[in-house]
Amino acid sequence: MKHIDIIDLMSDSSYLNKDVTVCGWVRTSRDSKNMAFIELNDGTSLNHIQIVIDKATIPNSKEYLKLGSSLKVIGTVVPSAVKNDGVEINAKQISVLGECPDEYPLQKKRHTLEFLRTMPHLRVRTNTFNAVLRVRSKMAAAIHEYFQKNHYTYVHTPILTASDCEGAGEMFTATTIGFSNEYKSAEEYFENDFFGQRAGLSVSGQLEGEVAAMGLGKIYTFGPSFRAENSNTPRHVAEFWHIEPEVAFAELEDIIEIAEDMIKYIVKYVIDNCACELEFFEKHFEKGLREKLENVVSSDFVVLDYTDAIELLKKADVKFEYPVEWGCDLQTEHERYITEQVYNKPVFVTNYPKDIKSFYMKQNPDGKTVAATDLLVPGVGEIIGCSEREADIDKLLNAMRSKNMSIDEYHDYLDLRKFGTVPHSGFGLGFERIIMYVTGISNIRDVILYPRTVGSIR
Ligand code: 4AD
Ligand code: MG
């Protein structure tokens, strides 16, 4: 079906006074005595194109005005009667591609995000989801561009895996058997299952990412990770998209520099390429959004030692729900206090107690902490989990034993420390979390096409 994108029509003045064909969905319409007006959107731009119908030329105009219906319009591009340097189309011929009855749920009024969550298949036709998904797409492009420019190789790590990278027991099991009385134990069940052992959906591509980095030097992954987290929060989904660079010959301070540089690059890319969408988010979701993002690009992130963070929280004039003691994991309320109340910018908290972190993190000489950092941002909390990896095989084995891990499952991973081990570091950025930060949308369910959360999938 030959037609032009509405975004091109609106940005290219050479279409003026020419006849064009556009296709789209009716977003709003207005009927008057001699004329009718349609705001048509084809998803290429947040802005709709106005279709002007002269009832003398186009009879039966009523059948084109139904919200949600899809149209093909042939007409002449003319300067807009109301918008400065805008254009509209004087319709010559309209055909209905798909009718839309009155029960169409997206009527003229502004719907709440909660309401829209009940119809993931239709909410894409709202300005909000149009803008979110376009920013999401631009951010994905920015991430690839950043790593490709800096000599990283994009690797595809397995989704089906036998090892739980984070050791948090949140791995979904992948099985082909299902309900059965045949097996006496879980062991027997999995021995008879597809892979002959228990397998699941990967919570992180890191372990295989490290394998790739030990030959390619600098790699990144960008794919889905799965976590059976039984918590219903605005920041967790069971399937999220995960960006995980892994860098050989990099220590903690090097990877912190890389993480900051990458975040700044993505944010700048969105400022430069999504002006219209940012203006929309600023108006409807977060006042001061643009200024916040400009500050992210232009100022240094804070680096704060975990031990100092604990002191800060203890001195805070706030009653936290979860008490603060050295050794505790930081809760969302603590993270938000640090980034929102104290610094009002992104903060790397470094050197966490080893007991609350994963087995693979490099053990610091103090014997108590690991060379790890989380990047916390205002409004969202943790967006990055990062660490230097333990490169010493004996220390790694000790950590695995103290966490009661089954060492046999990590044969390949341990081999990396045996054959030409190097200092190396990496991080995981939660894609939805950074989209929340950049758009000001406060629930993770609203930055992904189909959110999967505990008790809910469609
Ligand atoms: O901090 P996490 O658990 O770190 C790792 O998985 C490391 N293996 C990463 C690495 O070093 N290569 O997860 C990394 C990030 C979190 O900071 C968060 O942004 C995101 O992944 N994340 C989630 N996002 C949405 N829903 C969930 N359930 C998430 N769990 C983690
Ligand atoms: Mg984490």
Side-chain angles (χ1 to χ4, degrees):
M1 196 173 281
K2 263 226 171 325
H3 67 283
I4 60 171
D5 291 340
I6 289 176
I7 191 163
D8 285 338
L9 188 69
M10 290 190 296
S11 54
D12 183 348
S13 60
S14 68
Y15 287 110
L16 209 58
N17 304 318
K18 302 237 167 74
D19 280 3
V20 296
T21 304
V22 291
C23 296
W25 292 269
V26 177
R27 286 297 194 83
T28 61
S29 59
R30 194 155 50 86
D31 203 6
S32 69
K33 193 158 166 261
N34 301 320
M35 309 288 284
F37 304 90
I38 295 169
E39 295 285 324
L40 200 71
N41 188 291
D42 69 353
T44 57
S45 160
L46 257 192
N47 296 315
H48 316 318
I49 187 88
Q50 173 153 280
I51 310 294
V52 181
I53 300 174
D54 180 346
K55 290 184 177 174
T57 351
I58 300 197
N60 309 330
S61 64
K62 264 211 161 46
E63 66 185 89
Y64 309 127
L65 304 185
K66 289 243 158 161
L67 294 199
S69 59
S70 49
L71 305 179
K72 178 177 161 187
V73 178
I74 300 171
T76 315
V77 182
V78 296
S80 163
V82 284
K83 277 190 219 152
N84 270 349
D85 59 63
V87 291
E88 57 194 26
I89 294 178
N90 284 339
K92 287 187 166 169
Q93 193 189 324
I94 303 182
S95 40
V96 177
L97 300 173
E99 285 177 11
C100 190
D102 290 340
E103 74 211 49
Y104 182 56
L106 302 177
Q107 293 300 319
K108 245 181 198 164
K109 71 181 192 109
R110 224 182 132 67
H111 299 290
T112 64
L113 293 175
E114 287 81 2
F115 173 74
L116 294 174
R117 252 171 247 153
T118 64
M119 48 193 79
H121 58 306
L122 295 177
R123 66 178 182 174
V124 191
R125 300 188 202 176
T126 61
N127 290 339
T128 301
F129 286 89
N130 235 262
V132 165
L133 292 174
R134 202 164 17 250
V135 166
R136 186 177 169 117
S137 163
K138 293 284 181 201
M139 285 171 77
I143 287 162
H144 282 295
E145 191 176 282
Y146 176 81
F147 286 121
Q148 295 290 334
K149 268 188 184 165
N150 288 290
H151 318 298
Y152 288 71
T153 298
Y154 177 32
V155 301
H156 302 100
T157 50
I159 286 173
L160 285 168
T161 176
S163 52
D164 179 356
C165 171
E166 292 307 308
E170 292 169 344
M171 193 162 85
F172 282 99
T173 299
T175 177
T176 51
I177 297 180
F179 177 76
S180 170
N181 290 324
E182 247 178 76
Y183 310 106
K184 309 258 160 340
S185 64
E187 221 172 32
E188 198 188 325
Y189 178 103
F190 290 121
E191 268 169 21
N192 285 280
D193 208 346
F194 190 88
F195 294 106
Q197 66 181 92
R198 190 187 159 196
L201 303 181
S202 181
V203 299
S204 159
Q206 177 193 328
L207 302 187
E208 296 87 355
E210 284 187 52
V211 168
M214 292 303 105
L216 290 160
K218 302 204 277 187
I219 65 94
Y220 71 105
T221 71
F222 191 165
S225 284
F226 305 86
R227 295 195 186 179
E229 248 159 326
N230 202 357
S231 53
N232 230 323
T233 80
R235 311 181 314 143
H236 290 91
V237 274
E239 177 179 288
F240 67 98
W241 282 69
H242 207 173
I243 297 108
E244 295 184 277
E246 193 66 38
V247 189
F249 318 111
E251 294 168 324
L252 185 66
E253 61 185 35
D254 305 309
I255 197 76
I256 287 180
E257 243 176 64
I258 293 167
E260 179 167 343
D261 194 44
M262 184 205 60
I263 297 288
K264 287 180 166 168
Y265 188 90
I266 309 172
V267 170
K268 172 131 194 346
Y269 190 98
V270 174
I271 293 174
D272 293 346
N273 291 279
C274 304
C276 210
E277 285 77 13
L278 285 187
E279 200 182 304
F280 174 86
F281 293 126
E282 168 111 32
K283 189 163 159 213
H284 298 289
F285 292 97
E286 185 177 332
K287 259 210 184 77
L289 178 68
R290 202 185 162 91
E291 195 186 340
K292 172 184 94 175
L293 298 180
E294 273 161 4
N295 284 337
V296 167
V297 176
S298 64
S299 69
D300 291 339
F301 295 4
V302 177
V303 180
L304 176 70
D305 197 277
Y306 167 88
T307 302
D308 297 330
I310 292 296
E311 286 311 307
L312 233 157
L313 290 165
K314 278 183 160 172
K315 278 198 229 128
D317 195 13
V318 179
K319 184 106 192 70
F320 293 117
E321 191 187 337
Y322 294 88
V324 180
E325 258 332 303
W326 197 97
C328 75
D329 206 355
L330 298 184
Q331 302 294 325
T332 305
E333 56 175 350
H334 307 137
E335 296 178 345
R336 295 190 69 161
Y337 175 80
I338 293 168
T339 45
E340 288 166 27
Q341 307 300 318
V342 184
Y343 296 104
N344 196 26
K345 56 152 88 174
V347 179
F348 286 104
V349 176
T350 60
N351 303 315
Y352 282 85
K354 66 174 189 209
D355 292 340
I356 58 167
K357 288 291 184 189
S358 302
F359 73 98
Y360 51 72
M361 296 180 176
K362 185 182 164 69
Q363 295 156 40
N364 284 330
D366 65 11
K368 295 190 301 187
T369 62
V370 284
T373 185
D374 282 355
L375 178 63
L376 316 178
V377 298
V380 182
E382 177 192 336
I383 63 167
I384 281 180
C386 171
S387 61
E388 181 169 347
R389 318 308 191 186
E390 184 52 78
D392 179 306
I393 192 163
D394 295 321
K395 287 188 182 163
L396 185 59
L397 279 166
N398 278 338
M400 292 173 79
R401 286 193 192 104
S402 77
K403 291 186 192 284
N404 292 319
M405 292 172 60
S406 137
I407 288 171
D408 291 347
E409 288 172 22
Y410 296 85
H411 175 267
D412 293 3
Y413 192 69
L414 289 162
D415 259 5
L416 302 181
R417 277 69 183 168
K418 205 156 104 190
F419 305 124
T421 189
V422 301
H424 63 289
S425 304
F427 65 83
L429 167 66
F431 194 36
E432 287 73 23
R433 298 252 178 110
I434 188 160
I435 299 170
M436 291 167 72
Y437 183 56
V438 168
T439 57
I441 301 259
S442 56
N443 195 310
I444 196 163
R445 292 166 181 76
D446 302 325
V447 297
I448 186 165
L449 191 60
Y450 270 91
R452 274 83 179 80
T453 52
V454 58
S456 160
I457 189 164
R458 66 185 274 179

